[in-house]
Amino acid sequence: MSVLSGKIWLEKLRRRWVFTAIVGNVLLALSLAVVTFALLRLRYSEALVGSLFVLAISLVVLFILSKRWQPAMHKITSFVDVTMPEVENSASLLLADPSLLSSLQRLQRERVNSILVQHKLPNEPFRQLRLPMLVLGISMLILVLLPRLAPDSTVAEASSMVSPQQADVVKEVVPVTISDYSISINPPAYTGKKTRQQAQFTLRVELGAAVSWKLETTKSINDLRFLWNDKETYTLRKLDASGQRWGFNKVLTKPGFYQVIIDGKKSDFYQVEIIPDQPVAIKIINPEQHSTIDFGQPQRVDLKVLLTDDYGISDAVIHATTASGKGEAVSFKTHKLNFSTAIKNQRSLDLRKQLGLAGLGMKAGDELYFFINATDNHGQQSRSDMYFVSIQDTAALMSMAGIDNGVNLVPEYFRSQRQIIIDTEKLLRERSTISDADFKKRSNELGIDQKMLRLRYGKFLGEEEETQIGGRGEGEEGHSADDGHDHGAQAEKPAYGDVQAIMDQYAHKHDQAEDATFFEPQLKAQLKATLNEMWSAELQLRTYDPQKALPFEYKALRLLKDLQQKSRAYVAKTVVKTTPLKAEKRLTGELAEIQLAAAVNKHLGNKDQSGDLRTSLSLLEGRKSGQAGNPADLTILRTTEQALVAAAAASPAKYLPALKAMKTVTRMWTSRSDISSEASIAERGINSLIGAAQAKPYKSGGSATELSKTYFNQLNRTSR
């Protein structure tokens, strides 16, 4: 059999590897393009162009960086040697020059050739397509599920703008005279939305949207108007001389409702809902609102802020104020800092900035106050809370000033923490002049001093053993004669069967740590935090590393001094904006627009309509029970109707159904028709309008007065 057949078999196997490698690269590039298309279509309509560009770039990169699509023949022979043991690692002989082979190698070459020719091409190359196909399946799943997970995307909005059928269709009654109508909604520029069309009178538009109505009637009419909020009338303009095409334009800034009046005949109520533009939501993730930079920590603040807005963010600025000095010599300096991230009308921003306190001119003892001010593309500004960062002043901690006249919340011997810091710093300065054994001895002794201070501190929280702190004591566990408890020299033998007496004989009861009542809960929490810092300092001193113990020692001292007194409270500056005075009206003595307080109170008192609303509820209940409607009650019902008109103008979604029902009830009040369903709807709106009744003070009855008189008379008799 010719050796050429074996070479052809190897070449076919190499081509199979090349084919699967090319297909794998195409599948990976296609997966990346699909994911890109799924993400881009959430914000942009030309997502297909971007995804095709990504497909082309990824194909070029994959074919340049990947070497799988051009495998060498020696790799193919190595694969055959590994997967086919019968060739005995001799597949490479088929590629060698026959003149350079020995007789034994030629025989082996013929044997390998006959084996390969009889063997089918392996399917191993196709297995490398499993991963690209899995990636493509995941990308297709993202393409299908992402629009459902993000229903407020720009693409969904754009499609709803173009296709009115995709918008929420509200069932409404349209006058039969109107044959066709269309409403064009042009959102304001800050929303970034396109003009959309709809075929329903009920509106849900953005704040400041320009709305255009176009109506066609079945016949020529003389007058076509809109009645807005049951009080404002707008006349529509004729679009041609036939009197059948009418138009109207209006910029909507307030919610409400309207009706179409065709030659004096009113239509049903149509709701108008306004989508307000929310200000930028600011969330400061890092740092905490009150933070302190202790000794040994880097003097910087890693600021992390999350901004979100419904339409887009145009600007975000950090307003920082540094305070230095004490008492009346405090000086303030303001800074306006920008973020390094470019802000281009994004809806969500994750901003980070590192504030170098030294670059702001701060030193030990100074404080930083800052807040974030963000502006959306509509010009609305929002401001975060004030955040405080202070740099701990070690010199002030070591100072004795203020101890004699400060608020003494902790015992005197707690101030020995200052001496431990002094001794630790002295040990570090003398490190190079003393022996290693002496250094470790003095460090361990400082750890013992820290331990004694910590144990004294723990007694104020009811912790009498080290087991409460994080480890057991060095001595024997249990009690001794001088532990401060009355153990009793000899206990009497408990009575037979007295379980409590037997337990008291062997049990030693102490107060629990949480039952200690020396301090308030907030103070106790800070004392516990001090205990943790002392424990950490002791750990470093006992392991002969006083340099690492210093930050814990300073923080423990700071917590103790915070218990004694508070250094300074920051109050933001406020400016009272008064109404500007008009120079031409000063000193004229004109009092025409000034009303008396009595007249104002009388005017306000007339606005209380809760009595009429409750009366209307009782009238509606009587009408539902079968009573006949009295024409004299229509005055109260119309007053309630006007109250519902005002409420529906402010909140149409909540009160417009009740207003419709109330108008039906008023119109059919004196008839014998069944209006129970309309009355129930009106009652729900009236109850919502009344709200929860507030409790009012009332005068107590006479029983308590009689009792007090009897008690007083009895006292007089006793005194006599």
Side-chain angles (χ1 to χ4, degrees):
M1 185 176 293
S2 176
V3 180
L4 185 59
S5 300
K7 290 184 178 180
I8 294 175
W9 190 92
L10 292 177
E11 181 63 26
K12 288 182 179 180
L13 180 59
R14 192 187 74 85
R15 291 177 182 175
R16 180 170 290 188
W17 277 105
V18 172
F19 173 78
T20 55
I22 293 176
V23 173
N25 289 339
V26 172
L27 291 179
L28 290 176
L30 185 60
S31 302
L32 184 59
V34 169
V35 174
T36 304
F37 176 79
L39 295 177
L40 289 179
R41 73 172 183 173
L42 296 178
R43 292 181 177 270
Y44 308 102
S45 58
E46 301 296 333
L48 183 59
V49 177
S51 61
L52 292 177
F53 178 79
V54 172
L55 176 62
I57 295 298
S58 57
L59 280 175
V60 173
V61 173
L62 285 174
F63 279 105
I64 292 177
L65 299 181
S66 176
K67 303 296 183 181
R68 296 187 305 164
W69 65 280
Q70 48 183 1
M73 287 300 295
H74 70 275
K75 293 184 179 180
I76 302 300
T77 57
S78 299
F79 170 77
V80 173
D81 292 337
V82 173
T83 57
M84 301 175 61
E86 57 269 23
V87 302
E88 299 177 349
N89 295 327
S90 302
S92 60
L93 294 176
L94 296 175
L95 306 178
D97 188 1
S99 61
L100 301 179
L101 299 178
S102 62
S103 58
L104 184 60
Q105 289 176 331
R106 292 175 183 173
L107 292 175
Q108 181 67 14
R109 184 185 185 192
E110 293 291 337
R111 180 176 177 274
V112 171
N113 181 71
S114 61
I115 293 174
L116 293 182
V117 171
Q118 298 175 3
H119 201 282
K120 293 182 179 180
L121 291 176
N123 294 324
E124 185 67 23
F126 294 104
R127 295 182 181 178
Q128 66 178 352
L129 295 178
R130 290 184 293 185
L131 179 60
M133 293 182 68
L134 177 62
V135 174
L136 180 61
I138 295 175
S139 62
M140 296 301 293
L141 188 63
I142 293 175
L143 178 64
V144 174
L145 295 181
L146 193 58
R148 301 181 181 180
L149 298 178
D152 57 341
S153 61
T154 305
V155 174
E157 290 173 357
S159 62
S160 64
M161 297 172 194
V162 177
S163 302
Q165 291 80 6
Q166 298 180 4
D168 294 336
V169 178
V170 179
K171 186 177 181 180
E172 54 190 16
V173 179
V174 180
V176 294
T177 311
I178 298 178
S179 60
D180 190 18
Y181 64 96
S182 64
I183 299 176
S184 175
I185 302 173
N186 185 17
Y190 69 86
T191 62
K193 297 181 179 181
K194 299 179 181 179
T195 302
R196 62 183 183 269
Q197 305 286 335
Q198 71 175 38
Q200 61 180 21
F201 285 107
T202 300
L203 299 176
R204 187 175 187 270
V205 299
E206 296 79 8
L207 177 66
V211 183
S212 176
W213 288 264
K214 291 183 179 179
L215 288 77
E216 293 185 10
T217 58
T218 57
K219 60 181 180 179
S220 178
I221 59 176
N222 297 324
D223 186 29
L224 183 59
R225 300 182 182 186
F226 282 168
L227 178 60
W228 211 269
N229 292 336
D230 210 25
K231 59 181 178 181
E232 298 178 4
T233 303
Y234 299 95
T235 302
L236 278 68
R237 67 181 183 277
K238 292 183 179 181
L239 299 180
D240 56 15
S242 64
Q244 295 182 350
R245 298 180 67 249
W246 301 77
F248 180 69
N249 299 325
K250 183 177 176 60
V251 176
L252 301 182
T253 57
K254 296 180 180 180
F257 60 93
Y258 69 103
Q259 294 174 277
V260 181
I261 305 177
I262 303 176
D263 288 337
K265 295 181 180 180
K266 295 182 180 179
S267 69
D268 196 6
F269 292 94
Y270 305 119
Q271 175 181 326
V272 177
E273 183 178 354
I274 301 297
I275 305 174
D277 180 21
Q278 302 295 335
V280 182
I282 305 174
K283 181 180 180 181
I284 299 180
I285 302 175
N286 191 60
E288 297 181 356
Q289 190 165 9
H290 296 269
S291 57
T292 302
I293 299 178
D294 291 304
F295 175 79
Q297 294 181 349
Q299 295 187 1
R300 65 172 183 266
V301 177
D302 295 325
L303 182 60
K304 184 177 180 181
V305 184
L306 180 62
L307 305 179
T308 54
D309 188 66
D310 45 3
Y311 295 117
I313 304 168
S314 61
D315 191 19
V317 181
I318 306 171
H319 293 270
T321 302
T322 57
S324 59
K326 297 181 179 179
E328 298 181 356
V330 178
S331 61
F332 297 93
K333 187 177 181 181
T334 58
H335 305 269
K336 188 177 181 180
L337 309 175
N338 296 319
F339 290 98
S340 56
T341 305
I343 302 176
K344 298 180 180 179
N345 290 335
Q346 298 95 325
R347 294 188 179 185
S348 178
L349 281 174
D350 187 2
L351 302 178
R352 300 172 186 266
K353 187 176 182 62
Q354 189 177 88
L355 302 179
L357 303 187
L360 297 177
M362 296 182 63
K363 54 185 182 299
D366 292 352
E367 294 179 346
L368 171 68
Y369 321 113
F370 71 90
F371 64 90
I372 310 297
N373 195 355
T375 307
D376 63 5
N377 52 12
H378 192 199
Q380 295 184 111
Q381 292 188 352
S382 58
R383 169 178 165 172
S384 68
D385 293 336
M386 185 72 70
Y387 279 68
F388 307 83
V389 179
S390 60
I391 303 177
Q392 188 58 57
D393 187 4
T394 56
L397 285 177
M398 303 301 294
S399 174
M400 301 294 291
I403 291 180
D404 53 347
N405 58 0
V407 181
N408 189 9
L409 299 178
V410 292
E412 176 69 25
Y413 53 75
F414 279 160
R415 295 167 192 145
S416 62
Q417 181 69 27
R418 183 182 294 103
Q419 187 61 43
I420 294 177
I421 297 175
I422 295 174
D423 294 341
T424 303
E425 292 178 341
K426 181 179 179 182
L427 177 61
L428 291 174
R429 289 194 301 268
E430 298 176 357
R431 175 69 178 89
S432 58
T433 60
I434 59 177
S435 63
D436 187 63
D438 192 15
F439 176 79
K440 291 183 178 180
K441 178 183 177 182
R442 290 173 60 181
S443 179
N444 187 59
E445 289 176 351
L446 286 174
I448 295 175
D449 293 340
Q450 185 70 81
K451 169 191 172 182
M452 298 305 297
L453 182 62
R454 177 174 53 81
L455 291 179
R456 291 178 181 176
Y457 169 81
K459 288 184 178 180
F460 283 83
L461 296 177
E463 299 171 350
E464 301 185 5
E465 296 180 9
E466 284 189 288
T467 56
Q468 311 256 357
I469 316 292
R472 295 191 175 273
E474 297 177 355
E476 182 180 356
E477 184 180 3
H479 303 278
S480 59
D482 57 349
D483 65 353
H485 299 280
D486 186 10
H487 298 270
Q490 293 181 353
E492 295 182 0
K493 186 177 180 180
Y496 179 76
D498 191 352
V499 179
Q500 187 63 37
I502 297 175
M503 293 178 64
D504 292 339
Q505 182 182 6
Y506 296 98
H508 197 137
K509 299 179 180 179
H510 297 269
D511 290 337
Q512 300 296 326
E514 297 300 328
D515 296 335
T517 57
F518 290 101
F519 308 106
E520 296 179 356
Q522 295 83 358
L523 184 58
K524 185 191 295 185
Q526 191 163 351
L527 292 175
K528 286 185 177 181
T530 308
L531 181 64
N532 294 333
E533 299 301 327
M534 289 183 176
W535 175 263
S536 301
E538 178 190 347
L539 175 63
Q540 301 298 332
L541 292 171
R542 291 295 190 95
T543 55
Y544 315 119
D545 197 350
Q547 182 65 45
K548 293 182 179 179
L550 267 179
F552 300 108
E553 294 175 359
Y554 272 116
K555 190 171 182 179
L557 180 60
R558 178 179 65 83
L559 293 173
L560 292 174
K561 292 203 72 173
D562 287 345
L563 295 173
Q564 296 172 357
Q565 57 186 2
K566 301 298 181 181
S567 58
R568 175 167 60 236
Y570 174 79
V571 179
K573 295 181 179 179
T574 58
V575 179
V576 179
K577 295 183 179 180
T578 59
T579 305
L581 298 177
K582 296 182 180 180
E584 62 275 9
K585 288 190 175 183
R586 292 194 63 193
L587 305 177
T588 59
E590 295 181 2
L591 306 177
E593 298 181 0
I594 300 179
Q595 299 180 2
L596 296 178
V600 175
N601 293 334
K602 182 179 180 181
H603 178 66
L604 294 176
N606 293 333
K607 291 185 178 181
D608 186 11
Q609 299 177 347
S610 59
D612 293 340
L613 296 178
R614 290 185 173 87
T615 304
S616 298
L617 287 176
S618 62
L619 293 176
L620 292 175
E621 283 295 330
R623 189 67 169 81
K624 288 167 57 178
S625 61
Q627 297 180 6
N630 190 351
D633 298 332
L634 287 175
T635 303
I636 297 178
L637 295 178
R638 290 194 177 95
T639 303
T640 304
E641 181 182 322
Q642 294 301 318
L644 289 175
V645 166
S651 181
K654 186 176 182 181
Y655 293 105
L656 191 56
L659 176 60
K660 294 180 181 179
M662 194 64 195
K663 283 185 173 292
T664 304
V665 169
T666 306
R667 186 175 66 255
M668 305 176 63
W669 181 253
T670 57
S671 66
R672 296 183 179 181
S673 302
D674 185 12
I675 55 174
S676 299
S677 58
E678 289 81 1
S680 299
I681 298 174
E683 284 179 345
R684 287 196 293 269
I686 296 172
N687 284 322
S688 178
L689 194 59
I690 293 175
Q694 299 181 354
K696 297 181 179 179
Y698 61 93
K699 183 179 180 181
S700 59
S703 58
T705 305
E706 296 296 333
L707 181 61
S708 61
K709 291 182 179 180
T710 304
Y711 178 71
F712 180 74
N713 294 333
Q714 186 66 28
L715 287 178
N716 290 335
R717 292 173 187 159
T718 305
S719 62
R720 294 176 184 174

